[in-house]
Amino acid sequence: MKDEILNYFQVLKKRGIIGTSYLFIGKGDKVIVDVAKLISCDQEEGFCNSCWDCKRIEQGNHPDLFVIEPDGFSIKIEAIREGMRFFSLKSFRIKRRL
Ligand SMILES: [Zn+2]
């Protein structure tokens, strides 16, 4: 499944048709981080793991990446509102919000 998702976004990247915003729902799976790198990295195919964008995404502190995590068993409404505000703002570096 991971390869299928990465391949899908690789095709979009090659064709230059990656959307401006993506919302991924999951439990912090590595595939989400890899897709974020693939979308953000300037490398033509895949991602480099060494550029500024790849490193920031790996560390979870890229300015165009917003992660909402549960607080206990639920996600607080304020976290949802903060996420919605994030998506309403213009992107900082990669012309996309993740
Ligand atoms: Zn990179």
Side-chain angles (χ1 to χ4, degrees), residues 2 6 9 29-40 46-47 49 57-58:
K2 177 188 174 185
L6 284 173
F9 278 97
D29 199 322
K30 179 87 172 110
V31 69
I32 296 170
V33 173
D34 287 348
V35 167
K37 288 179 190 173
L38 181 79
I39 289 172
S40 308
F47 51 88
N49 259 334
I57 288 169
E58 185 67 38

Side-chain angles (χ1 to χ4, degrees), residues 62-94:
H62 192 287
D64 293 322
L65 174 69
F66 187 84
V67 178
I68 298 174
E69 295 184 77
D71 183 9
F73 291 107
S74 62
I75 295 175
K76 301 288 184 202
I77 189 70
E78 187 51 41
I80 301 292
R81 288 187 181 124
E82 201 178 324
M84 292 172 74
R85 272 194 299 275
F86 172 82
F87 276 101
S88 71
L89 299 172
K90 196 172 177 187
S91 63
F92 180 71
R93 274 186 59 88
I94 59 172

Side-chain angles (χ1 to χ4, degrees), residues 41-42 47-51 53-54:
C41 186
D42 283 340
F47 51 88
C48 70
N49 259 334
S50 58
C51 70
D53 293 304
C54 283

Side-chain angles (χ1 to χ4, degrees), residues 5-13 22 24 35 38-39:
I5 294 169
L6 284 173
N7 287 342
Y8 173 75
F9 278 97
Q10 182 59 56
V11 169
L12 296 181
K13 185 175 183 175
Y22 285 97
F24 297 100
V35 167
L38 181 79
I39 289 172

